[in-house]
């Protein structure tokens, strides 16, 4: 990247239709895993005005009341008004779910050490020293803003807000280091009775300035709140929602590469999810070990095959050793077989709904085991 540049990342609120779809898909996965840890789940959700459609492939001994799961998620988010396009009590819920293909099952229904990847695919992980969470600053701030939007709405601090919303943060960098926030864009759905200027003031003072450190804001920082001046029509009245349509929001805000597969609704035999978690785990431990200031990891898999077909570490010239040596050390410290990832990161737990909003990475939550840096010492020793 150039010595001086701007970089922008976005996040979307829990009430954005695509994120609602992700949360429903992951809530179904959670409910299945509570009852059956051997289940195979690939749940997809489509949301349109007044209707939720759940489809996919699920093989399990569990019984899940899918319609109740959908309504519980909508209620938690705050969809209690048909004017938002969905009301948790009255919306239609349709289901069309089949069993997993037996051709796929041949590769994954095996002892843990022999579980093959549930599909072919390539995944990426990333870490950087620019925040304490070892995440890029733009996406970290963007997530913080939409989380704060939800908090002030649920707590009644800004009662005129509705569930839908987006944020976008532009950070100015010099020599790869963040210097200031150049622009903040927020779309905050609101009821029709509030004045536009009140929405703007509340969002800037009670949301943005509570999230972005004061030292990153200055007199030149631009604030754009509801760029058209009004955001009353939102939710599924303004847009449909679909599982897996916000994959860059889910990861690193566009700073790092993405393999293309989404995470939500998929059990961890799907390496789109578990492989991405392992790639982040590896990258974060490399940076935490101070072997590099930033690091990107790629892992590639073939369906039904136990070991990855490729593994690469790229430190973008910041490594304390060559990328080849760090790659070799990491391959000895981390076992990237799908079954071992599931075991080591303890992924057969009903933890996934909370991953579905505000990003899968950079979260200070003990359930997010891929955020641990417990193998940094082992990496350093391998390179000593």
């Amino acid at each position: 990247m150039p010595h001086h540049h701007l970089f922008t990342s976005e996040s979307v609120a829990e009430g954005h239709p695509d994120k609602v779809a992700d949360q429903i898909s992951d809530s179904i996965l959670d409910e299945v895993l509570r009852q059956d840890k051997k289940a195979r789940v690939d749940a997809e959700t489509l949301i349109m005005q007044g209707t939720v459609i759940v489809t996919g492939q699920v093989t399990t001994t569990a019984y899940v009341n899918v319609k109740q799961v959908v309504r519980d998620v909508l209620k938690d988010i705050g969809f209690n008004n048909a004017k938002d396009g969905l009301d948790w009590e009255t919306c239609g819920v349709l289901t069309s779910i089949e069993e997993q293909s037996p051709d796929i099952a041949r590769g994954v229904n095996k002892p843990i050490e022999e579980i093959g990847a549930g599909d072919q695919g390539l995944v990426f992980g990333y870490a950087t020293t620019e925040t304490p969470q070892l995440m890029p600053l733009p996406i970290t701030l963007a997530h913080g803003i939409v989380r704060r939007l939800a908090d002030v709405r649920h707590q009644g601090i800004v009662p005129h807000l509705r569930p839908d919303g987006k944020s976008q943060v532009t950070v100015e960098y010099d020599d790869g280091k963040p210097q200031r926030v150049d622009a903040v864009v927020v779309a905050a759905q609101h009821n029709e009775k509030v004045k536009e200027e009140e929405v703007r003031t509340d969002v800037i003072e009670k949301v943005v300035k509570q999230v972005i450190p004061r030292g990153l804001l200055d007199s030149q920082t631009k604030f754009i709140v509801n760029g058209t001046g009004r955001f009353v029509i939102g939710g599924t009245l303004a847009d449909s929602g679909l599982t897996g349509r916000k994959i860059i929001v889910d990861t690193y805000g566009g700073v790092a590469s993405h393999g293309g597969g989404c995470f939500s609704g998929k059990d961890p035999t799907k390496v789109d999810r578990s492989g991405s978690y392992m790639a982040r785990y590896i990258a974060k431990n490399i940076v935490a070990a101070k072997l590099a200031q930033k690091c990107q990891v790629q892992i590639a898999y073939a369906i039904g095959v136990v070991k990855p077909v490729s593994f690469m570490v790229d430190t973008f010239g910041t490594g304390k050793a060559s990328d080849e040596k760090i790659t070799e050390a990491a391959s000895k410290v981390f076992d990237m077989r799908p079954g071992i990832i599931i075991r080591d990161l303890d992924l057969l737990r009903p933890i996934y709904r909370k991953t579905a909003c505000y990003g899968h990475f950079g979260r200070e939550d003990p359930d997010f085991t891929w955020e641990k840096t417990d193998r940094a010492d082992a990496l350093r020793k391998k390179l000593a």
Side-chain angles (χ1 to χ4, degrees), residues 174-190:
D174 275 323
D175 293 326
K177 299 184 183 301
Q179 301 298 315
R180 55 182 291 275
V181 170
D182 185 71
V184 180
V185 180
V186 181
Q189 187 190 12
H190 57 87

Side-chain angles (χ1 to χ4, degrees), residues 218-231:
D218 58 32
S219 61
Q220 301 302 309
T221 300
K222 298 177 285 291
F223 298 98
I224 301 172
V225 177
N226 292 345
T228 66
R230 173 184 165 93
F231 186 13

Side-chain angles (χ1 to χ4, degrees), residues 136-150:
L137 182 61
I139 190 66
T140 300
L141 297 177
H143 284 324
I145 288 171
V146 291
R147 182 187 283 275
R148 178 68 179 171
L149 275 177

Side-chain angles (χ1 to χ4, degrees), residues 17 19 22 52 61 78 86 99 111 164 208 210 240 279 281 286 302 374:
K19 272 293 144 211
D22 286 344
V52 177
T61 59
L86 280 178
E99 290 189 347
D164 200 355
V208 174
Q210 303 304 312
S240 61
Y281 184 42
I286 288 170
D374 55 339

Side-chain angles (χ1 to χ4, degrees), residues 289 291 329-330 332-333 374-384:
L291 299 177
K332 294 177 180 177
V333 172
D374 55 339
R375 300 197 184 182
D377 286 343
L379 280 167
R380 280 192 291 264
K381 290 177 182 177
K382 288 290 182 184
L383 285 166

Side-chain angles (χ1 to χ4, degrees), residues 45-292:
T45 303
L46 167 65
I47 300 173
M48 43 204 268
Q49 186 172 337
T51 305
V52 177
I53 301 173
V54 179
T55 186
Q57 296 79 44
V58 179
T59 302
T60 182
T61 59
Y63 169 73
V64 176
N65 187 336
V66 172
K67 293 184 179 181
Q68 191 59 52
V69 170
V70 170
R71 296 190 191 283
D72 288 346
V73 172
L74 297 178
K75 183 180 180 181
D76 288 347
I77 293 171
F79 281 102
N80 54 14
N81 188 335
K83 290 184 178 180
D84 292 322
L86 280 178
D87 173 64
W88 70 271
E89 291 185 284
T90 61
C91 69
V93 182
L94 306 176
T95 62
S96 178
I97 297 174
E98 302 293 338
E99 290 189 347
Q100 183 185 60
S101 162
D103 293 343
I104 296 175
R106 292 180 62 192
V108 296
N109 293 340
K110 293 183 176 182
I112 192 166
E113 296 86 358
E114 300 174 20
I115 293 176
D119 199 353
Q120 73 176 48
L122 53 129
V123 297
F124 290 91
Y126 183 79
T128 174
T129 57
E130 64 186 65
T131 64
Q133 300 88 355
L134 303 187
M135 285 286 288
L137 182 61
I139 190 66
T140 300
L141 297 177
H143 284 324
I145 288 171
V146 291
R147 182 187 283 275
R148 178 68 179 171
L149 275 177
D151 289 344
V152 298
R153 175 170 57 86
H154 287 300
Q155 296 169 18
I157 297 171
V158 186
H160 54 70
L161 292 179
R162 298 300 298 151
D164 200 355
K166 287 185 175 183
S167 68
Q168 185 173 287
V169 177
T170 300
V171 174
E172 181 178 330
Y173 287 81
D174 275 323
D175 293 326
K177 299 184 183 301
Q179 301 298 315
R180 55 182 291 275
V181 170
D182 185 71
V184 180
V185 180
V186 181
Q189 187 190 12
H190 57 87
N191 65 40
E192 59 188 356
K193 296 179 181 179
V194 66
K195 294 181 179 179
E196 296 167 9
E197 189 55 38
E198 183 179 353
V199 176
R200 173 181 165 80
T201 299
D202 282 346
V203 168
I204 292 173
E205 297 299 328
K206 298 178 181 179
V207 177
V208 174
K209 290 186 177 179
Q210 303 304 312
V211 172
I212 299 180
R214 188 173 300 178
L216 291 175
L217 300 173
D218 58 32
S219 61
Q220 301 302 309
T221 300
K222 298 177 285 291
F223 298 98
I224 301 172
V225 177
N226 292 345
T228 66
R230 173 184 165 93
F231 186 13
V232 173
I233 300 173
T236 57
L237 281 179
D239 197 3
S240 61
L242 188 65
T243 299
R245 204 154 54 179
K246 289 290 179 285
I247 58 177
I248 300 303
V249 170
D250 285 340
T251 53
Y252 307 100
V255 171
S257 300
H258 195 292
C262 81
F263 307 155
S264 290
K266 297 177 180 178
D267 77 76
T269 64
K270 313 295 191 298
V271 291
D272 284 335
R273 170 164 243 154
S274 55
S276 295
Y277 291 172
M278 174 54 79
R280 162 66 175 173
Y281 184 42
I282 296 170
K284 188 172 183 182
N285 274 270
I286 288 170
V287 173
K290 298 184 178 180
L291 299 177

